[in-house]
Amino acid sequence: MSKEIYKDKYYTHFDVKKKHIDYERKVENIDWVGKHGFYPFIHFSMKFDKYTNDSEGNKYLKPKERDIYYSAHIDRYIYEFYGNRLNNRYNVY
């Protein structure tokens, strides 16, 4: 994993904060990932107002709700590593 891409995050979750450097080998080992027990996401909804236009071009505020999910620290490394691999292969395709 590249240090430029995989930066350590310090948000609160069920697990203890982890440094990516300690888990690089494990995350890249597909057998270890297959046995890894993933934690549930911390979830909340964020409500905010969004500017939009009606059919006549008039601007108005529209309420919007967005679901926010935080993964556990090790889980994030796994999602990020395999997400990047999948994205790279998809871009080549």
Side-chain angles (χ1 to χ4, degrees):
M1 291 191 287
S2 169
K3 292 180 183 178
E4 297 164 0
I5 297 172
Y6 301 96
K7 295 181 180 176
D8 295 322
K9 306 281 180 149
Y10 296 101
Y11 55 80
T12 303
H13 205 282
F14 304 120
D15 63 340
V16 178
K17 295 172 178 95
K18 309 282 195 256
K19 293 189 177 199
H20 79 278
I21 211 162
D22 299 332
Y23 288 89
E24 288 182 24
R25 282 186 168 169
K26 289 182 180 181
V27 167
E28 293 173 7
N29 180 345
I30 200 159
D31 294 325
W32 181 85
V33 172
K35 296 175 185 174
H36 174 70
F38 289 84
Y39 285 94
F41 290 110
I42 289 179
H43 168 255
F44 67 94
S45 294
M46 180 186 295
K47 295 179 183 179
F48 57 96
D49 292 327
K50 176 183 174 183
Y51 280 100
T52 189
N53 297 326
D54 62 13
S55 59
E56 298 173 2
N58 300 318
K59 290 186 177 185
Y60 68 97
L61 283 175
K62 176 181 173 182
K64 186 172 181 177
E65 189 170 333
R66 182 176 177 196
D67 291 323
I68 306 295
Y69 294 88
Y70 287 102
S71 62
H73 298 281
I74 296 174
D75 297 350
R76 183 184 69 84
Y77 298 141
I78 294 169
Y79 297 141
E80 196 168 6
F81 178 76
Y82 289 99
N84 281 336
R85 286 184 65 182
L86 181 62
N87 186 49
N88 291 339
R89 289 188 181 197
Y90 179 75
N91 287 338
V92 168
Y93 172 76

